[in-house]
Amino acid sequence: MDLGTVAVVGGGIIGCLTARRIVQESPSSRVLLLDRDEVGCGASRRSAGLHFPRGASERVRRMSEYSQEFYEKLRAERPAVPIHPVGMSLVSRAGREEMARLYSRPVRRDGDAGVLDACGAEVRVPPGMSVWDVEGGQYADVHHLVEALVAEVRPRVEVREAVRVTALEPDGSGVRLELGTGERLVVDRVVLAPGPWLAEPAWADRVAPLGARVKRVVALHVDHPVGEQDRAVVFHDEDAFLLPLAYRGHWLFSYTCEDWDVDPDRIGADLAGRDLAQARACLERYAPALAARCTAGRVFCDAYSTSREPLLRRLDPDGRVVFAGAANGSGYRLAPAIAAEAVQLLDPSVKGSSR
């Protein structure tokens, strides 16, 4: 197939893998990757990069498994990529049937109550909860992974950084783009992968009907040493997790922040006192000694859909503009599958991931 000239707008993990997928499926196509900052910045720069083979719906489970296989193959082919396998323990009230339904890789029951020794510190397992071990956990330094993947495709992809798209208008013959540099382009197709920048004037009116929202995301850095055998601990019922970031030498605690409809250009990158209080209150239920060591962190935002599934949609009648995103905080985890589906929307003859 020949897709002509395709502009991928957004150089995060989703946009990067989409550009990579296009040149693999359509070597004759011309691909432009545009980002208002440097590639791998924005939500990808601040991502925890945790992957586990889970999905609340059958579609997301298929996407998760597709992405799992993609990353395993990538790591086997390129051992230097910053993807790190990690053991994983789950703490939940859910039973075996529920766990087997949600996780696409084997889940094994490891205990019912007491203390979990997974991170060199005491993690309490409340009465009525069980500990489960799941295969296939890994995490990535997403920022540097994107940089590595973009370096790989640069011979075939024209990368434009610090270039903002100020206008995007499809018509019968193509899509007209205006750039912040003053340049005007006409391309055949566009994949819009803007991360949390949903309200950009160039596409806000087309994206708004999708109903996606932008939520503030906060994770705390736990000043606690990381050991070689340390495991990630997922507090399944809380939608929170502890992750050993060996390449940084500390732990990360991610919890659910409920600050909605924020502006990625206005949100501060600094922690507030309420961030520390909310996160510590959650972590203290399980690991009070670690909660006391949460003194730093990372703050940004991400796009979420009402269905809790990633949004992949054609935004114009001719199918020349495709939206790919709103991955609900799972941009890294589902990016390979999202990229595959986005390219399939550009050309239905391409095999997707979960359709």
Side-chain angles (χ1 to χ4, degrees), residues 329-350:
S330 296
Y332 167 71
R333 191 166 70 89
L334 302 178
I338 293 171
E341 290 196 16
V343 178
Q344 186 186 38
L345 285 175
L346 294 177
D347 188 328
S349 68
V350 178

Side-chain angles (χ1 to χ4, degrees), residues 251-275:
W251 286 73
L252 180 141
F253 178 61
S254 174
Y255 74 103
T256 301
C257 177
E258 294 293 351
D259 293 346
W260 289 92
D261 303 317
V262 297
D263 183 344
D265 287 328
R266 294 181 179 272
I267 190 169
D270 55 319
L271 285 169
R274 63 193 175 97
D275 297 325

Side-chain angles (χ1 to χ4, degrees), residues 240-312:
F241 59 82
L242 276 166
L243 176 63
L245 296 178
Y247 71 94
R248 289 181 59 100
H250 66 79
W251 286 73
L252 180 141
F253 178 61
S254 174
Y255 74 103
T256 301
C257 177
E258 294 293 351
D259 293 346
W260 289 92
D261 303 317
V262 297
D263 183 344
D265 287 328
R266 294 181 179 272
I267 190 169
D270 55 319
L271 285 169
R274 63 193 175 97
D275 297 325
L276 289 173
Q278 289 175 357
R280 285 171 174 168
C282 180
L283 187 54
E284 280 174 355
R285 291 193 285 271
Y286 298 98
L290 294 181
R293 306 188 76 168
C294 293
T295 58
R298 59 184 71 180
V299 179
F300 198 54
C301 55
D302 211 347
Y304 287 69
S305 69
T306 56
S307 67
R308 301 293 291 185
E309 295 187 356
L311 293 175
L312 289 116

Side-chain angles (χ1 to χ4, degrees), residues 28 41 52 69 77 117 151 182 223 248 283 295 301 333 352:
S28 61
C41 291
F52 44 92
E69 293 174 357
E77 294 174 346
D117 184 15
D223 186 16
R248 289 181 59 100
L283 187 54
T295 58
C301 55
R333 191 166 70 89

Side-chain angles (χ1 to χ4, degrees), residues 10-11 21 88 106 110 145 149 185 191 221 225 230 241 269 277 288 292 323 327:
R21 177 85 178 193
M88 183 174 292
D110 194 42
L145 176 61
L149 292 174
L185 303 174
V191 177
H221 296 169
D230 284 341
F241 59 82
F323 178 87

Side-chain angles (χ1 to χ4, degrees), residues 87 117-119 226-231:
D117 184 15
C119 57
V226 176
E228 291 184 4
Q229 302 303 316
D230 284 341
R231 303 169 62 82

Side-chain angles (χ1 to χ4, degrees), residues 222-240:
V222 186
D223 186 16
H224 184 71
V226 176
E228 291 184 4
Q229 302 303 316
D230 284 341
R231 303 169 62 82
V233 182
V234 177
F235 305 107
H236 177 89
D237 302 353
E238 304 274 6
D239 194 19

